[in-house]
Amino acid sequence: MLTNDKRITILCGHYGTGKTNVAVNLALAMAKTGENVTVADLDIVNPYFRTLDSATAFDEAGIRLICSRFANTNVDMPSLPPDLYAITDDKTRRVVIDVGGDDSGAMVLGRLAPAILAEGSYEMYLVVNRYRPLTPDVPSTIEVMGEIEVASRLRFTGIVNNSNLGAETTAADVLASVDYAAKLAKAAGLPLVATTVEQSIYSDLEGQIPDLFPLTLQNNKPF
Amino acid sequence: MAEKVLMKGNEAIAEAAICAGCRHYFGYPITPQTEIAAYMAKKMPKIGGCFLQAESEVAAINMVYGVSATGKRVMTSSSSPGISLKAEGLSYMAGADLPALVVNVQRGGPGLGGIQPSQSDYFQATRGGGHGDYRMIVLAPASVQEMASLTVKGFDLADKYRMTAMILADGTMGQMMEPVSLDFPEPEKVEKPWATNGTDMAREHNIVNSLFLQPDALERTNFERYERYAYIEQHEAMWEEYRMEDAEICVTAFGIASRVAKNAINEARKQGIKVGMIRPITLWPFPVAPFKAAADKVKSFISVELSMGQMIEDIKLATECKKPVYLCNRAGGIIPSPDEVLAAIVKANENGGDL
C-alpha cells in the first residue's frame, strides 16, 4: 500500500518521473483518513511545477506545507526551507517528502538521514516512469537508483510505478509498463508498492493491476 | 525511438539535436533552459560527442563559431540575458556565414528579470540581436513535439542557408512535459566546401572570417547575403491557421501564447463569435502572405503576446495597416489567462472589431 504505516514517506527518483504529483496525491489520501499530514518539498533542482501549486488543496485538507521560500518566485534559488528540521523533530505528524530529481536532488536527504535512520519509521520509494527517455529500461533505472542511494545516504524500500505519457496516457500505456516495473522490482530486490493511474482511466484497469493507486492531476494550467 | 516518450521541452530539443547529427554542444547554465545542458552532459559522452560547459556565454558562442567553421553541426542554448551576451558572437557568425542552432528559452526581462516565461526577446531575435546587417531564421515552437521537430528543421535550414537558426521558446515551453515522438530520418549529408577541415594539400585553404580589408568587398557580402535573405522570405515562411475560414477577428499568437489563445478562441466560438488565429511558426521570415490575405477579410487583429507588444509591429507591416491591430498582453513573466484573451475577443466582437 502506498499509504503505508511508517511516519515518513520519501519519494525519490529520476528527474521528471512525477514525484511531485505522487506526493500531492499521497498526502491528500493520508489526510482523508484523518491523519495530521505534512508535505515537505525539498526540491532544490526544479523551480517550476512545485507542490506549492497545490497550496489551496492542502489548505482545504489541513495539510501543512514545508517549502522553500523561493518556490514559484522569480529566482532559481536552491535553498532549503527554514522549518526543515520539523520533518524529523515533530513526531506528531506524518510527513511526505518530495525530493528533487536524480542524485543531485537527493543530496538534501543526506542532512536528514541520521535522524530518519535513528527514528527508524520511514519508507523510501523510487518513483519510476518507463516513458522517460533516460530511464526506459531496468539497467538505466537501477543505475539512477544507486546514484540516489549514495547521495541520500538512505536505502530504498519500495518501487512506485508512475509510468505515464502526461495527459495522453491510455490504459494500454499503463498496462505496457507493468512488466518493466515488475522486472525492476525483482532486479532491485524491492516490493512494487503501487502502480499509479490517472482517475479517469482507473476503472479501466481496476482488477488488472495489483495495488493500483488513483491519481488526480494537480494541473490547472491555462495552456 | 519510434515509441512516444514523456519529455520536457528542453530535453526534446537536446535529443532532437542529437538525432539531427549534432555532436557538439557548448553552453553556460541559466534557468529555464538548463535541462538542455544537463541532458547533453549525460548523453554526449556516451555517443562520442562533446559537451562542454564554457566559462561564460561569450566563450560558448565562440566555441560554436569554431566548430561550425570546421563544418560540423553545433549548437548552444541559453535564456534571455545569456543570449544578450552571445550577441557579439552571433553577429560574427553572420559575418562569416556560419550555420548553427541557437536556442533561447526566454524569461522575463529586461535586465536580470526573472525565471518565469516571457516572449519579450522577439525584437532581439527577429532583428538579429547583435550589430550589423544580418538576420537569423527564428522558429517558434508551440508544443514539446515542435520543440523537437523545429530543432531538426533549424539545423537543416542553418546548413542550407549558411546562417544561424534560433529556436525562440519560453520558460513554459522549456519546462512543460508532453509525449513526443523522436522518429526523425537520418540527417542528410550536407556538402560544406567552405569548411576549414584540412586541405589534404589538394586544394587552396579556406578562410572563415568576418573581417574585410576593402569596404567595397564588405559591401558586396552584405548585398549577397540579403539576396539570400530575400529568397528565404519567399520560400521558408511557416505558419498555422486555426478556424480562420469565416473569421471576422484574427487572433495572432506564437508559442505558449497561441495555446492560451486557442482555448479562448474555442470558448468564443461556443458563444458564436467568428474568430480564428494565425500562428506564425517562423518569426523570421515572418509569414506575410496569410496576414495579407486575412487583412482583406477580417475586421481586426488581436496580437496576444507575453511582452509589451513586439510582434504587433510585424503584423502592422504585413497587413500594411489595412485593419486595426490590437494588443492583448501580459509581461514580466506572466502568462495571460484564456479568460483575459476571451474578454478581448468578446469586446472586439461587440465593438465591430475594435478594442
Side-chain angles (χ1 to χ4, degrees):
Chain A
M1 281 282 281
L2 195 56
T3 50
N4 55 77
D5 57 2
K6 302 293 194 324
R7 194 178 72 77
I8 296 175
T9 304
I10 307 165
L11 299 167
C12 287
H14 174 51
Y15 194 54
T17 48
K19 296 173 292 296
T20 299
N21 204 40
V22 174
V24 169
N25 279 276
L26 176 57
L28 289 170
M30 285 175 173
K32 228 178 222 170
T33 64
E35 301 203 67
N36 293 322
V37 181
T38 295
V39 169
D41 179 346
L42 300 190
D43 194 338
I44 54 162
V45 181
N46 181 13
Y48 304 98
F49 305 129
R50 301 284 292 255
T51 48
L52 193 61
D53 296 338
S54 305
T56 315
F58 287 167
D59 274 350
E60 285 165 5
I63 294 170
R64 184 182 161 199
L65 176 62
I66 294 177
C67 180
S68 162
R69 296 289 150 92
F70 296 100
N72 286 4
T73 67
N74 248 339
V75 287
D76 184 359
M77 197 73 75
S79 72
L80 290 169
D83 38 0
L84 177 72
Y85 290 109
I87 295 169
T88 44
D89 288 351
D90 180 2
K91 295 188 172 56
T92 65
R93 300 181 74 89
R94 296 197 65 185
V95 185
V96 176
I97 309 182
D98 180 24
V99 184
D102 289 347
D103 48 338
S104 36
M107 206 179 295
V108 294
L109 284 173
R111 182 167 174 172
L112 295 169
I116 291 172
L117 287 167
E119 186 186 347
S121 181
Y122 78 97
E123 298 282 358
M124 181 158 104
Y125 298 143
L126 178 72
V127 180
V128 297
N129 178 358
R130 69 154 289 219
Y131 296 107
R132 290 288 289 147
L134 294 182
T135 54
D137 51 28
V138 172
S140 56
T141 313
I142 292 279
E143 193 184 324
V144 171
M145 181 181 153
E147 290 165 358
I148 291 173
E149 286 189 329
V150 169
S152 67
R153 304 191 213 171
L154 293 167
R155 291 266 180 209
F156 281 106
T157 63
I159 309 271
V160 174
N161 177 22
N162 190 48
S163 294
N164 74 88
L165 279 167
E168 287 181 26
T169 314
T170 63
D173 294 329
V174 180
L175 277 172
S177 74
V178 171
D179 184 53
Y180 153 84
K183 282 184 177 147
L184 174 69
K186 199 171 169 223
L190 294 172
L192 179 58
V193 179
T195 294
T196 62
V197 58
E198 210 270 315
Q199 198 85 52
S200 62
I201 48 175
Y202 180 81
S203 56
D204 298 342
L205 292 168
E206 216 178 353
Q208 293 188 64
I209 300 175
D211 302 308
L212 207 55
F213 184 84
L215 290 179
T216 307
L217 292 181
Q218 306 294 310
N219 190 345
N220 48 359
K221 301 285 179 237
F223 39 83
Chain B
M1 239 194 280
E3 196 187 34
K4 279 200 172 182
V5 287
L6 186 68
M7 287 184 119
K8 281 198 167 200
N10 285 335
E11 297 170 333
I13 284 177
E15 184 59 42
I18 290 168
C19 292
C22 174
R23 292 294 178 275
H24 295 84
Y25 173 94
F26 306 100
Y28 188 81
I30 180 171
T31 306
Q33 64 79 50
T34 303
E35 292 82 5
I36 301 176
Y39 196 92
M40 290 302 196
K42 276 223 154 132
K43 203 83 189 266
M44 280 298 195
K46 291 181 180 162
I47 55 172
C50 171
F51 162 84
L52 198 147
Q53 181 174 320
E55 63 269 39
S56 73
E57 286 86 349
V58 178
I61 191 69
N62 283 290
M63 291 170 187
V64 170
Y65 183 113
V67 169
S68 179
T70 72
K72 301 284 187 193
R73 282 194 161 177
V74 56
M75 72 177 288
T76 186
S77 61
S78 193
S79 178
S80 310
I83 296 292
S84 293
L85 286 167
K86 290 182 200 289
E88 181 198 50
L90 292 173
S91 171
Y92 275 55
M93 291 186 71
D97 295 313
L98 286 174
L101 187 82
V102 178
V103 180
N104 181 1
V105 184
Q106 300 165 90
R107 50 190 264 173
L112 198 51
I115 63 168
Q116 302 301 334
S118 168
Q119 297 181 324
S120 52
D121 302 347
Y122 180 95
F123 282 154
Q124 185 194 45
T126 58
R127 269 64 177 167
H131 60 279
D133 280 318
Y134 77 96
R135 293 289 197 176
M136 291 190 294
I137 291 164
V138 183
L139 304 160
S143 65
V144 175
Q145 185 65 53
E146 275 192 356
M147 291 284 258
S149 59
L150 291 179
T151 293
V152 175
K153 177 98 183 162
F155 275 109
D156 289 343
L157 291 172
D159 276 349
K160 186 174 177 187
Y161 295 109
R162 286 186 66 180
M163 59 192 290
T164 47
M166 175 178 274
I167 301 285
L168 190 70
D170 65 81
T172 304
M173 290 306 316
Q175 295 298 323
M176 68 191 293
M177 293 180 85
E178 284 179 340
V180 51
S181 160
L182 295 160
D183 198 10
F184 298 111
E186 277 289 303
E188 274 175 46
K189 181 111 181 70
V190 183
E191 291 303 323
K192 297 181 177 178
W194 48 265
T196 56
N197 52 0
T199 63
D200 287 332
M201 306 302 264
R203 60 162 170 81
E204 281 293 301
H205 66 276
N206 288 330
I207 297 174
V208 172
N209 192 10
S210 66
L211 174 67
F212 292 83
L213 294 182
Q214 299 304 328
D216 58 344
L218 177 55
E219 186 196 40
R220 204 157 50 239
T221 65
N222 274 279
F223 274 97
E224 282 167 6
R225 205 167 286 125
Y226 269 69
E227 281 172 24
R228 210 180 333 144
Y229 294 166
Y231 181 89
I232 296 168
E233 284 175 329
Q234 289 300 315
H235 293 90
E236 300 294 356
M238 291 162 60
W239 69 93
E240 178 200 359
E241 292 187 32
Y242 184 70
R243 306 188 83 162
M244 278 298 290
E245 319 78 54
D246 58 345
E248 292 174 355
I249 297 166
C250 176
V251 171
T252 302
F254 68 95
I256 193 70
S258 70
R259 296 169 66 117
V260 177
K262 256 186 197 174
N263 289 338
I265 288 166
N266 290 340
E267 208 46 50
R269 282 275 175 181
K270 279 185 205 157
Q271 298 178 21
I273 301 172
K274 290 179 176 169
V275 55
M277 174 167 67
I278 301 174
R279 171 174 78 94
I281 298 171
T282 52
L283 301 180
W284 192 88
F286 194 73
V288 173
F291 284 99
K292 265 197 167 146
D296 292 329
K297 294 180 201 157
V298 303
K299 290 176 182 161
S300 68
F301 294 84
I302 301 174
S303 186
V304 181
E305 303 187 47
L306 275 66
S307 74
M308 291 311 293
Q310 301 193 9
M311 184 172 68
I312 190 170
E313 295 192 3
D314 280 336
I315 303 168
K316 288 178 181 173
L317 285 170
T319 57
E320 292 168 351
C321 295
K322 267 191 193 161
K323 296 284 165 63
V325 189
Y326 298 101
L327 182 64
C328 173
N329 69 318
R330 296 297 298 265
I334 310 277
I335 301 176
S337 71
D339 285 345
E340 286 172 80
V341 180
L342 178 63
I345 294 169
V346 169
K347 192 174 168 195
N349 185 56
E350 284 167 359
N351 295 341
D354 289 339
L355 251 189

